[in-house]
Amino acid sequence: LKQISKRLSELADQQRQLASELSGSLSSAAESSADLAAQQAQLIEETVQLESDLESLRAEATLRSTGNAIDAQRKAREALEDSQIEQAADDAKRAADQLRQAADTAANRSQRLDRQARQEQVFELAVSLRDLVEKQQPIVDQLTATADSMHALSFDRNELKASMRQLADRQNSVLENLRSVLEQAQRLQEAASFGVFAWTLDLAQRDMERSAASARRLRVDPEAIDASMAALTKLEMSAEALEQGQESMMPPEDTSPSAQDQQSNSANDQKRLLPPIASLKLLRGLQLDINTRTKALDVERPDAPRQVQLLGELATQQKELGLQLEAWLQQMADEREQRLE
């Protein structure tokens, strides 16, 4: 439909040019009528072809304007054949107007269909995130239970190895699912404010990789537990921010004039699929998580190898978070500038 809209726009310009030529020939001899009629015939042929394409798409409103354009085009051709230049110019202009209307209608419908498809993708992403949360939670629970049995010395090492191998495989399975969800978020990234979501899921991916590796090495507590819980936290925050963002984009149920005005104004500014505040809330949640994890480090053993590693990871996340916030602020500034233009 988008391509048809573009072609209708081109035909409208060509039809407008023909109408201009007809108006310019009113004061001259009409020996060019045959050439102009041939041009009009060519435009009719191309418009009829587009009408056939529109019928297969069931674009009723666009079809009506296209049909009106064809009627006007045919009248213009008949007028030219009868050397009625002035009438032909009027009909040609009317055809151009109808073609322009058809192009605009097709473009609007194309945008609506595209937006609807992307909204469905956002819904699917939200469902996928909740599914990941449900799959990651049992892994955290099992690791915690395993750590408790290890502390109580009530475990068999061979059974522990087998159990952790199975858990690592389960973690890798969830990781593969996450990678598919990450691809969903990345596809939406250019169309909406999904850069922060894609980055957060990438962080969760790194956490799951560490979780699986630590489980295989029997480094259950705290390495595997911390990594699996970090992944779960990021998944939960992403799901919650996405769901809240979707809810805020829904029109109000209030039918009062003020609510309808608010809905109308919101619709005019809804090229995005999520409100910017959704990404900002997610960034804030991630910042709080980094703060909490930093405070949880053992201050009495600042030089312990694991603490040094964790501090490095947190420092990297903090730097990346700062870059994400800068990108978000720049996007808001660019959108504000576009609205002022």
Side-chain angles (χ1 to χ4, degrees):
L1 191 57
K2 184 181 297 183
Q3 292 299 320
I4 291 177
S5 171
K6 181 180 178 181
R7 185 58 189 137
L8 282 169
S9 181
E10 293 171 350
L11 285 176
D13 291 339
Q14 294 172 21
Q15 186 68 60
R16 181 76 60 190
Q17 179 62 33
L18 178 58
S20 178
E21 291 179 15
L22 286 168
S23 298
S25 69
L26 290 176
S27 58
S28 62
E31 61 266 13
S32 62
S33 296
D35 292 337
L36 294 173
Q39 292 180 38
Q40 185 61 83
Q42 179 62 32
L43 290 174
I44 292 172
E45 181 179 342
E46 295 184 34
T47 307
V48 168
Q49 178 58 54
L50 287 179
E51 183 183 43
S52 176
D53 295 338
L54 286 167
E55 287 175 350
S56 63
L57 296 174
R58 298 181 179 179
E60 301 298 333
T62 307
L63 270 171
R64 284 194 294 272
S65 296
T66 305
N68 292 338
I70 292 172
D71 290 340
Q73 286 175 325
R74 286 171 173 162
K75 289 180 179 179
R77 183 186 60 186
E78 293 170 2
L80 279 169
E81 291 172 349
D82 294 337
S83 298
Q84 297 176 5
I85 307 300
E86 184 174 1
Q87 181 61 49
D90 290 342
D91 291 331
K93 182 179 181 302
R94 185 160 55 86
D97 292 341
Q98 290 295 323
L99 285 170
R100 174 59 56 194
Q101 182 175 334
D104 292 344
T105 303
N108 290 337
R109 185 167 188 263
S110 176
Q111 291 172 1
R112 288 196 303 273
L113 290 174
D114 180 62
R115 179 175 177 78
Q116 180 181 350
R118 288 187 286 126
Q119 285 175 327
E120 291 174 356
Q121 290 175 345
V122 174
F123 176 78
E124 291 172 0
L125 179 60
V127 172
S128 298
L129 283 173
R130 278 301 170 193
D131 181 61
L132 283 172
V133 169
E134 292 179 2
K135 290 178 178 178
Q136 184 66 18
Q137 183 66 63
I139 292 176
V140 174
D141 294 341
Q142 183 177 346
L143 284 169
T144 303
T146 300
D148 291 341
S149 66
M150 291 176 69
H151 294 321
L153 301 178
S154 58
F155 69 95
D156 178 272
R157 188 168 182 82
N158 290 330
E159 290 181 0
L160 176 65
K161 287 182 179 180
S163 174
M164 288 300 97
R165 280 197 301 269
Q166 293 176 357
L167 185 139
D169 289 341
R170 286 173 57 198
Q171 183 66 90
N172 283 327
S173 176
V174 178
L175 176 58
E176 287 303 312
N177 292 337
L178 172 59
R179 286 170 177 158
S180 297
V181 175
L182 178 56
E183 290 178 2
Q184 289 179 259
Q186 289 170 337
R187 285 195 297 270
L188 287 165
Q189 187 170 339
E190 294 182 2
S193 304
F194 278 86
V196 174
F197 285 87
W199 170 67
T200 305
L201 295 181
D202 181 60
L203 291 181
Q205 177 179 239
R206 300 178 216 172
D207 291 331
M208 287 187 186
E209 290 170 350
R210 288 195 296 271
S211 172
S214 297
R216 286 191 183 280
R217 294 195 297 268
L218 303 186
R219 295 180 178 177
V220 178
D221 187 13
E223 286 92 334
I225 291 178
D226 285 354
S228 63
M229 289 185 66
L232 178 61
T233 298
K234 293 178 179 68
L235 292 174
E236 288 176 331
M237 287 192 296
S238 298
E240 183 177 352
L242 185 58
E243 289 165 353
Q244 290 179 351
Q246 285 182 293
E247 289 175 2
S248 68
M249 296 291 282
M250 295 177 63
E253 295 183 2
D254 188 358
T255 58
S256 65
S258 60
Q260 290 176 352
D261 289 342
Q262 181 181 357
Q263 179 179 346
S264 177
N265 293 333
S266 177
N268 292 332
D269 193 37
Q270 280 188 5
K271 291 183 179 180
R272 58 175 68 96
L273 297 176
L274 280 180
I277 194 64
S279 295
L280 188 59
K281 285 182 177 179
L282 181 53
L283 286 173
R284 181 176 181 274
L286 291 167
Q287 181 63 74
L288 292 174
D289 181 58
I290 291 175
N291 295 345
T292 300
R293 294 175 64 194
T294 302
K295 291 178 180 178
L297 295 177
D298 188 351
V299 295
E300 295 181 0
R301 302 178 59 197
D303 298 328
R306 179 178 175 275
Q307 296 229 119
V308 172
Q309 179 185 356
L310 282 176
L311 280 172
E313 293 171 358
L314 291 171
T316 299
Q317 289 185 23
Q318 183 66 68
K319 182 179 180 180
E320 292 178 4
L321 189 149
L323 294 175
Q324 289 291 329
L325 180 58
E326 288 180 9
W328 183 88
L329 291 170
Q330 184 60 53
Q331 180 184 356
M332 293 302 97
D334 292 343
E335 290 186 7
R336 185 163 53 248
E337 191 172 314
Q338 290 175 3
R339 285 195 298 269
L340 291 175
E341 292 177 355

